[in-house]
Amino acid sequence: MSARAQIGVTGLAVMGRNLARNFARNGFTVAVHNRSFGRTQSLVADHGHEGEFVASESLEDFVASLERPRKVIVMVQAGGPTDAVISSLVPLLEEGDIVIDAGNAHFPDTRRREAELKAHGLHFVGTGVSGGEEGALLGPSIMPGGSAESYEWLGPILEKIAAKVDGVPCCTYVGPDGAGHFVKMVHNGIEYADMQLIAEAYDLLKQGLGASAAQIGEIFAQWNSGDLESFLIEITAEVLAQVDVETGAAFVDVVLDRAEQKGTGRWTVQNALDLGVPITGIAEATFARALSGSVPQRAAAAGVLQGHAGQWDVTDREAFIEDVRLALYASKVVAYSQGFDQIAAASAEFGWDIDRGAMARIWRGGCIIRARFLDRITEAYERDEDLPLLLADEYFTGAVGNGVPAWRRVVSQAALNGVPTPAFSSSLAYYDGVRAQRLPANLIQAQRDYFGAHTYQRTDRPGTFHVQWTTDRTEVEA
Ligand code: 6PG
């Protein structure tokens, strides 16, 4: 077996298959392997004309067909299956070879694997790949972590197959060890918030206007020509226009209202709790999926919990639609602002030195959250790479600020009329919380000191204090 493949993919389910095809279409000789050889053979039979594949039945032959340093992409189920494939690969590889996990792995696993393989003289690269099956084939957004040395070998190959925006690849080196999978995880958290906010906007238009799915789809299609232009708004317009062939009803009207999740949103929220970053929009979106699946609680509540809800009385249809659009845009910016705060906090925690502007730049194309306003976010971090709060950037203070009256009208009308908008509402609460001159956390500190002697600080002088609540209630310096 001559070692002539520049890149190899093991695991040829749809994502692995499409990545392999993307590499071949871009002129690379691609080594391909799958546990069942039949799938490898069918890939070459169906797509061998697209480029140069080197098919191997055994993992040994697969590894032997790769030029040094070997670059092996593992595209199997996250968790145990990935560990199993890595364990089989390590004895076959030599110093300097590179193992790439392009699945949605949990970043602590990636950090562990990177350390383990480093001990064998190997590079381990956890990379986010976003854009689904189509993105893998036509150009995803790629977020590789791992060693800087590995990127010297991998970068040119990944950048060639990545999506391009203004000729710039949607791929860049993210940072050491688990940084790449971390950024992909936050991407997915933002994706959850984006999708929840769109769903709430759809619900508001449906309940506020009595609009049909098709009518709402037309509204989203119009929104997609403005500041909200994005992949998720675009596909929402398409989904809402879809008719169910069997019933002739609007497709969304026959879809069960229970949202599922593979886990990346959950990981994002769990990590934010650990880091102490208030990603309220992403958290509410993740919990909204859980609520929708809380069948026993929803069954117990239906028809029993009193609503005391008003009736929508929208007199100016166009004004209401514009209010919802402004509220959606403002809430989206909050979700992205929170996500980038989480990236900054993790970068400091793990010493990754992640460039947030570069992350916004590679999210402009290929990925699920690709959107026109990612250009504005990129520009914001180009103005100040240490920007403490995206919402406070000179562009967004205006772009979001202009929508605040509408945001308040939408959230208050939703509450008055009994329409659940957890992401819209929590995003507005975050906006008011982060800009507040004084929060009621002073009372929480006082309560904590009362029952737990947890001490507090004062506004008028430095130090840490405690009141002797159980005796003379005098204040002492702790
Ligand atoms: C992407 C997507 C993808 C995600 C699926 C399912 O960036 O291409 O985020 O990685 O896993 O969309 O996600 P959930 O099941 O968690 O919604």
Side-chain angles (χ1 to χ4, degrees):
M1 173 74 67
S2 69
R4 57 194 179 87
Q6 287 100 359
I7 188 85
V9 181
T10 179
L12 298 175
V14 177
M15 287 294 287
R17 184 184 178 89
N18 282 356
L19 269 182
R21 291 177 59 197
N22 190 345
F23 287 120
R25 288 172 165 197
N26 279 282
F28 296 105
T29 300
V30 188
V32 287
H33 169 268
N34 193 74
R35 192 173 51 183
S36 59
F37 189 47
R39 186 169 279 188
T40 311
Q41 292 173 308
S42 67
L43 167 60
V44 177
D46 298 344
H47 304 289
H49 61 282
E50 295 177 352
E52 185 75 25
F53 294 102
V54 179
S56 297
E57 183 165 10
S58 72
L59 200 61
E60 291 76 5
D61 286 350
F62 168 68
V63 169
S65 69
L66 283 155
E67 68 182 20
R68 299 294 312 283
R70 301 182 184 94
K71 298 170 272 311
V72 178
I73 295 181
V74 178
M75 281 303 280
V76 298
Q77 192 181 343
T82 296
D83 279 321
V85 171
I86 293 169
S87 300
S88 307
L89 277 169
V90 168
L92 305 175
L93 298 173
E94 295 170 83
E95 183 154 359
D97 287 347
I98 305 166
V99 178
I100 304 106
D101 175 2
N104 273 338
H106 196 197
F107 81 95
D109 290 338
T110 303
R111 284 166 56 82
R112 166 178 56 82
R113 291 168 179 147
E114 199 264 350
E116 287 168 357
L117 266 67
K118 191 184 292 183
H120 292 276
L122 302 171
H123 297 281
F124 184 77
V125 172
T127 184
V129 176
S130 179
E133 301 163 15
E134 190 175 285
L137 179 61
L138 302 177
S141 171
I142 309 176
M143 297 149 256
S147 63
E149 183 189 343
S150 63
Y151 195 76
E152 289 171 19
W153 292 103
L154 263 182
I157 299 173
L158 296 179
E159 290 176 16
K160 189 144 172 43
I161 70 154
K164 308 291 184 299
V165 174
D166 307 332
V168 178
C170 292
C171 173
T172 192
Y173 176 62
V174 175
D177 58 70
H181 272 148
F182 184 91
V183 164
K184 176 56 168 68
M185 178 191 78
V186 174
H187 164 279
N188 280 37
I190 292 171
E191 175 187 302
Y192 277 43
D194 234 333
M195 292 168 73
Q196 176 65 23
L197 289 165
I198 287 171
E200 290 178 18
Y202 151 75
D203 202 16
L204 288 163
L205 294 170
K206 184 174 70 167
Q207 300 208 40
L209 301 177
S212 68
Q215 290 167 329
I216 300 168
E218 287 168 13
I219 294 169
F220 275 100
Q222 288 160 19
W223 287 353
N224 198 43
S225 60
D227 288 344
L228 284 173
E229 182 188 354
S230 59
F231 173 73
L232 284 172
I233 294 283
E234 177 190 343
I235 69 166
T236 298
E238 307 220 350
V239 162
L240 289 170
Q242 179 72 5
V243 172
D244 177 54
V245 174
E246 191 176 323
T247 62
F251 166 64
V252 286
D253 292 345
V254 299
V255 175
L256 189 63
D257 62 336
R258 292 180 201 158
E260 297 178 2
Q261 51 185 314
K262 286 188 189 148
T264 48
R266 254 198 310 273
W267 292 340
T268 311
V269 178
Q270 287 164 343
N271 169 263
L273 290 169
D274 291 340
L275 292 176
V277 181
I279 58 166
T280 51
I282 294 168
E284 285 292 350
T286 306
F287 284 127
R289 293 197 185 190
L291 184 153
S292 73
S294 305
V295 175
Q297 290 81 359
R298 292 184 63 188
V304 171
L305 268 55
Q306 298 182 33
H308 297 294
Q311 286 303 316
W312 288 89
D313 177 20
V314 175
T315 52
D316 185 337
R317 174 188 166 84
E318 291 314 309
F320 178 70
I321 292 170
E322 178 61 4
D323 272 3
V324 175
R325 187 189 70 81
L326 289 166
L328 175 57
Y329 180 86
S331 303
K332 272 169 70 92
V333 177
V334 166
Y336 282 72
S337 186
Q338 292 173 342
F340 279 103
D341 281 353
Q342 186 172 3
I343 290 173
S347 186
E349 174 79 10
F350 299 109
W352 285 334
D353 192 26
I354 296 176
D355 175 347
R356 289 177 293 173
M359 297 306 105
R361 189 177 306 113
I362 66 172
W363 283 351
R364 293 183 304 158
C367 62
I368 300 294
I369 65 170
R370 60 185 184 265
R372 177 192 297 188
F373 84 163
L374 274 157
D375 281 312
R376 307 290 82 76
I377 294 176
T378 304
E379 291 157 5
Y381 286 114
E382 283 168 349
R383 281 191 284 273
D384 178 0
E385 64 179 9
D386 299 320
L387 188 63
L389 181 71
L390 181 65
L391 280 165
D393 165 70
E394 62 187 41
Y395 173 81
F396 286 107
T397 49
V400 172
N402 295 337
V404 171
W407 203 2
R408 295 193 187 285
R409 285 193 292 270
V410 167
V411 167
S412 53
Q413 285 168 352
L416 287 169
N417 294 308
V419 177
T421 58
F424 271 69
S425 309
S426 65
S427 300
L428 179 58
Y430 174 85
Y431 182 83
D432 283 331
V434 79
R435 69 185 192 86
Q437 288 302 316
R438 189 145 162 78
L439 289 169
N442 57 330
L443 182 57
I444 291 168
Q445 284 295 85
Q447 292 164 336
R448 291 177 69 245
D449 189 57
Y450 185 100
F451 62 68
H454 293 302
T455 75
Y456 56 90
Q457 294 172 306
R458 294 176 59 95
T459 56
D460 53 7
R461 64 179 185 276
T464 302
F465 304 91
H466 166 61
V467 169
Q468 299 178 117
W469 297 100
T470 54
T471 56
D472 60 5
R473 297 202 167 192
T474 53
E475 180 181 78
V476 295
E477 190 128 13

